[in-house]
DNA sequence: AAGTGGCA
DNA sequence: GCCA
């Protein structure tokens, strides 16, 4: 075995049903970015307010039957864009297929998301530790796809005080969590300034979920 | 608490 | 960074 035949891992187990799939989405990234860029021109991302009255660091847009929303009324899913009261556009097939394939690779067959949340991170933006608990069916996993500049994903446990694993996510990486890890706390560390040839000075994360 | 601020 |  010579040094030059070492390949990067394509499946990295995290904990209790979660895994990191480095570069899993790379074959479709140009098509993915074209869908996302077009979407963001038509559905400009908005800065949501938390129930406690703070502004979120990231800006947000959605695709699919259900978009994730936050306001003084709480967190949840809405069939319409709160800024326009119009329905969200459908999730493009390339994104649906990618999400199902990543879930299958992670051990979750038959994943069909009905919600695609887009979080846009500029340099300095972050996401505090939180649990995804607004979905009805927690037997369905979460699939997260990274585009653009890198970020450190923080993956903890079922308690907010649990130690977090630091995952360096790059363009084309996918993370899947389900099973016991479905409710684990997770977040994103402050994003450092960088340039990506496709997305420029930003990171876009797609979070695919079965909301209802 | 998808948040901030205090202390190290 | 960790904790509340």
């Amino acid at each position: 075995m010579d040094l030059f035949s070492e390949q990067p891992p394509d499946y990295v187990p995290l904990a209790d049903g979660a895994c990191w799939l480095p570069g899993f989405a790379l074959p479709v990234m140009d098509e993915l970015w074209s869908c996302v860029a077009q979407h963001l021109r038509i559905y400009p991302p908005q800065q949501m307010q938390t129930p406690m009255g703070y502004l979120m660091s990231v800006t947000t847009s959605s695709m699919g039957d259900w978009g994730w929303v936050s306001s003084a009324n709480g967190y949840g899913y809405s069939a319409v864009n709160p800024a326009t009261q119009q329905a969200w556009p459908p999730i493009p097939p390339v994104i649906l297929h990618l999400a199902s394939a990543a879930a299958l690779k992670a051990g979750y067959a038959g994943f069909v998301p009905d919600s695609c949340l887009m979080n846009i991170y500029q340099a300095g933006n972050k996401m505090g530790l939180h649990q995804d608990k607004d979905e009805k069916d927690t037997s369905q996993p979460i699939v997260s796809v990274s585009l653009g500049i890198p970020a450190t994903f923080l993956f903890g446990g079922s308690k907010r005080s649990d130690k977090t694993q630091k995952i360096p996510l790059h363009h084309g990486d996918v993370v899947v969590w389900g099973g016991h890890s479905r409710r684990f706390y997770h977040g994103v560390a402050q994003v450092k300034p960088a340039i990506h040839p496709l997305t420029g000075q930003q990171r876009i994360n797609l979070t695919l979920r079965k909301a209802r």
Side-chain angles (χ1 to χ4, degrees), chain A residues 80-92:
Chain A
V80 297
N81 179 350
T84 62
Q85 294 299 120
Q86 300 299 301
W88 301 106
I91 302 173

Side-chain angles (χ1 to χ4, degrees), chain A residues 45-135:
Chain A
Q46 309 267 319
Q47 222 176 345
M48 299 274 186
Q49 198 175 66
T50 70
M52 294 297 289
Y54 294 104
L55 280 179
M56 288 182 66
S57 172
V58 298
T59 57
T60 291
S61 187
S62 280
M63 298 185 288
D65 294 341
W66 301 100
W68 185 85
V69 294
S70 174
S71 73
N73 301 329
Y75 306 120
Y77 286 94
S78 171
V80 297
N81 179 350
T84 62
Q85 294 299 120
Q86 300 299 301
W88 301 106
I91 302 173
V94 62
I95 297 180
L96 287 175
H97 293 149
L98 170 65
S100 297
L104 183 62
K105 172 127 187 159
Y108 304 98
F111 178 58
V112 182
D114 58 10
S115 173
C116 177
L117 172 65
M118 280 170 239
N119 285 140
I120 292 84
Y121 295 79
Q122 309 290 338
N125 291 356
K126 60 193 158 54
M127 177 77 69
L129 282 183
H130 66 280
Q131 296 172 296
D132 287 19
K133 51 183 182 184
D134 304 316
E135 303 78 26

Side-chain angles (χ1 to χ4, degrees), chain A residues 64-202:
Chain A
D65 294 341
W66 301 100
W68 185 85
V69 294
S70 174
S71 73
N73 301 329
Y75 306 120
Y77 286 94
S78 171
V80 297
N81 179 350
T84 62
Q85 294 299 120
Q86 300 299 301
W88 301 106
I91 302 173
V94 62
I95 297 180
L96 287 175
H97 293 149
L98 170 65
S100 297
L104 183 62
K105 172 127 187 159
Y108 304 98
F111 178 58
V112 182
D114 58 10
S115 173
C116 177
L117 172 65
M118 280 170 239
N119 285 140
I120 292 84
Y121 295 79
Q122 309 290 338
N125 291 356
K126 60 193 158 54
M127 177 77 69
L129 282 183
H130 66 280
Q131 296 172 296
D132 287 19
K133 51 183 182 184
D134 304 316
E135 303 78 26
K136 200 152 227 172
D137 182 1
T138 54
S139 76
Q140 295 302 309
I142 311 274
V143 173
S144 161
V145 183
S146 293
L147 295 87
I149 69 174
T152 302
F153 185 57
L154 310 170
F155 196 69
S158 53
K159 291 175 306 193
R160 205 176 195 254
S161 56
D162 286 342
K163 185 172 69 73
T164 57
Q165 274 184 278
K166 278 77 177 167
I167 321 280
L169 293 183
H170 292 88
H171 190 251
D173 286 4
V174 178
V175 179
V176 181
W177 61 104
H180 287 114
S181 65
R182 175 63 177 71
R183 296 270 203 166
F184 281 10
Y185 278 88
H186 55 279
V188 175
Q190 191 168 78
V191 171
K192 293 175 185 167
I195 306 278
H196 188 276
L198 224 45
T199 70
Q201 309 181 55
Q202 61 187 338

